[in-house]
Amino acid sequence: MTNICPIKNVADLVSEARRVFRETFDGDNANVAVCAPGRVNLIGEHTDYNEGFVLPMALPMVTVMVGSKTSGQKCCVVTLTEAADEPRMVDFDLPNELTPLLRGQPNWANYVKGVVQHYRARPIPGFRAVIASSVPLGGGLSSSASLEVAVYTFLQQLCPDDGNQVAKAVACQQAEHTHGAVPCGIMDQFVSVLGKEGHALLIDCRSLEATAVPLADPGLVILITNSNIRHSLTGSEYPTRRKQCENAAVVLGKRSLREATLQDLEAAKDRLDSVTYRRARHVIEEIERTAQAAEALKRGDYKEFGRLMVESHNSLRDNYEVSCPELDELVSAALEVDGVFGSRMTGGGFGGCTVTLLQAFSTERAVKHIQEKYHGSPTFFITTPSEGARAFSL
Ligand code: GAF
């Protein structure tokens, strides 16, 4: 199955980063190593910032950070990821009350600075570090959240906080808001912190409580297909969707769309423009679908789960309008294969990846068929639900 990308081993990423650390910093050794995973969302799209449910799982693809503290106030960070045309090394001073760390160049370093700025304990010491990652950049698999959570986990080794995992995810989300310039929900950072091997996480984005749902069936495959259409949420589409949802909630007289029913929406239909109506409809239905999908997964009813995935995709395409022709083509091709339960776009949209749930014996056939039908060049990953962020002893 040559079209399926191998997933780089975490231990190999750590050794590579440690080697570069030694080469960059005069033969010194890193004494801290951590990693944080990317995620794939199985269902529950664009519901997190509406206080709804999401059902993601952490991926075996991770961002690794190795390094050590220094005695000064300076931070020096090197990245090994393919940060297009940007310098791979950055130096900055630790923030203080008078001088916060601001956004700047290179762009990748903003996620590092954002987390340093929002870290929940002080005093942070100066540090030197190297970052490596196996999460595809701009693939909609949360490369930025995994970087933020890796940085936070790294800082925890240098200057321990109170260990509150939810507060950690929230601090990383803040970093994305202020330094990544995306008003994202909590899903990506939450699952990167709290992901559980062999499980998907049903996250209630209102209470910030999560239930781990077992998802480790050897007969089942979770296939990710990267459209290789680069996705970026820093444009205006994501904030616009978020605003439209907030406006809809105001018109419906609700704190968020989580509180609204389809009946509420129908009753307010003539007070909403047609676009806002469709956005709200997607969210209200998707929240319900996600709760149903989690129940189906608990029962091992993959057929029902797959049906809900397809409904989710269609709603994201038609009501929320965040899909694109390439993602639609990948989903349609996957659904033509025997043994496929369901398929949908995953993440923010406008490119990135699809996720397909299928019987293991159909994998080769599915990959071949999708490859033949898709007009672009897809890449495939077979993934398993993995553990959230962790530190290694060196
Ligand atoms: C992006 C955001 F970062 C998440 O918070 C979420 O809103 C997702 O898009 C859409 O479900 O990944």
Side-chain angles (χ1 to χ4, degrees):
M1 283 195 261
T2 48
N3 300 322
I4 298 174
C5 292
I7 296 172
K8 244 191 187 170
N9 192 288
V10 181
D12 291 346
L13 276 175
V14 171
S15 336
E16 194 185 344
R18 290 178 75 190
R19 179 181 53 75
V20 173
F21 187 93
R22 268 193 308 275
E23 286 167 8
T24 313
F25 300 113
D26 311 321
D28 281 359
N29 278 311
N31 52 26
V32 168
V34 301
C35 78
R39 64 96 188 93
V40 65
N41 190 18
L42 300 172
I43 194 163
E45 218 65 85
H46 289 278
T47 48
D48 58 353
Y49 51 83
N50 291 293
E51 299 194 322
F53 293 111
V54 290
L55 188 66
M57 62 176 222
L59 289 171
M61 292 91 118
V62 297
T63 298
V64 152
M65 187 162 179
V66 308
S68 42
K69 63 169 99 169
T70 59
S71 51
Q73 290 296 298
K74 293 238 175 266
C75 306
C76 180
V77 186
V78 173
T79 183
L80 304 183
T81 60
E82 27 108 13
D85 311 337
E86 289 192 309
R88 284 164 182 245
M89 185 188 271
V90 70
D91 280 295
F92 57 89
D93 287 327
L94 287 166
N96 58 46
E97 268 157 39
L98 297 177
T99 44
L101 265 173
L102 300 176
R103 268 170 65 77
Q105 293 298 329
N107 191 48
W108 63 266
N110 286 325
Y111 301 97
V112 180
K113 292 176 183 169
V115 174
V116 171
Q117 180 65 42
H118 291 281
Y119 188 67
R120 296 175 54 258
R122 292 280 185 269
I124 300 173
F127 60 84
R128 301 189 300 195
V130 174
I131 291 165
S133 185
S134 54
V135 188
L137 291 188
L141 300 178
S142 290
S143 51
S144 59
S146 76
L147 171 55
E148 288 149 6
V149 174
V151 174
Y152 197 105
T153 310
F154 178 82
L155 294 179
Q156 283 178 304
Q157 316 310 306
L158 306 187
C159 167
D161 67 351
D162 60 9
N164 182 322
Q165 300 274 74
V166 173
K168 172 176 175 178
V170 171
C172 292
Q173 179 195 21
Q174 287 306 314
E176 178 88 38
H177 286 192
T178 57
H179 289 68
V182 177
C184 64
I186 190 68
M187 166 170 70
D188 303 352
Q189 292 79 8
F190 194 109
V191 69
S192 183
V193 173
L194 284 132
K196 195 163 176 238
E197 191 174 353
H199 295 75
L201 273 196
L202 177 67
I203 308 169
D204 180 337
C205 300
R206 180 171 59 187
S207 65
L208 296 187
E209 282 161 357
T211 315
V213 184
L215 179 58
D217 179 339
L220 193 73
V221 157
I222 300 153
L223 176 71
I224 293 178
T225 308
N226 192 344
S227 65
N228 286 313
I229 299 294
R230 193 106 169 169
H231 121 127
S232 156
L233 294 179
T234 43
S236 65
E237 296 287 358
Y238 188 92
T240 301
R241 294 297 182 289
R242 188 168 179 157
K243 202 90 221 105
Q244 287 164 332
C245 293
E246 285 161 5
N247 291 343
V250 170
V251 173
L252 268 59
K254 306 288 181 189
R255 175 193 138 103
S256 70
L257 288 178
R258 169 70 180 277
E259 314 295 332
T261 62
L262 276 185
Q263 288 74 17
D264 296 327
L265 183 64
E266 290 311 313
K269 194 168 181 180
D270 54 1
R271 285 181 286 130
L272 293 166
D273 65 78
S274 69
V275 172
T276 310
Y277 169 83
R278 283 187 289 116
R279 303 294 188 251
R281 190 177 174 117
H282 164 75
V283 171
I284 295 169
E285 290 183 338
E286 182 81 352
I287 291 173
E288 177 56 28
R289 256 194 300 274
T290 305
Q292 285 175 13
E295 286 310 310
L297 199 57
K298 285 181 199 159
R299 298 193 301 273
D301 187 348
Y302 304 136
K303 217 168 152 210
E304 172 65 0
F305 193 91
R307 189 186 68 74
L308 293 163
M309 287 175 85
V310 176
E311 265 192 26
S312 166
H313 182 79
N314 293 344
S315 173
L316 288 159
R317 182 191 61 206
D318 302 335
N319 287 331
Y320 219 64
E321 295 179 287
V322 290
S323 187
C324 61
E326 291 84 356
L327 293 173
D328 296 341
E329 191 171 276
L330 289 174
V331 167
S332 304
L335 294 176
E336 285 164 2
V337 180
D338 238 21
V340 167
F341 293 112
S343 184
R344 58 183 288 279
M345 56 154 278
T346 184
F350 308 108
C353 293
T354 62
V355 56
T356 303
L357 198 70
L358 72 163
Q359 286 179 320
F361 67 77
S362 296
T363 311
E364 202 160 347
R365 200 176 340 144
V367 167
K368 192 162 171 283
H369 185 74
I370 296 170
Q371 175 110 25
E372 274 165 17
K373 281 290 189 89
Y374 183 52
H375 284 90
S377 357
T379 27
F380 299 91
F381 300 95
I382 291 177
T383 59
T384 44
S386 306
E387 197 62 20
R390 53 213 185 264
F392 307 100
S393 44
L394 291 181

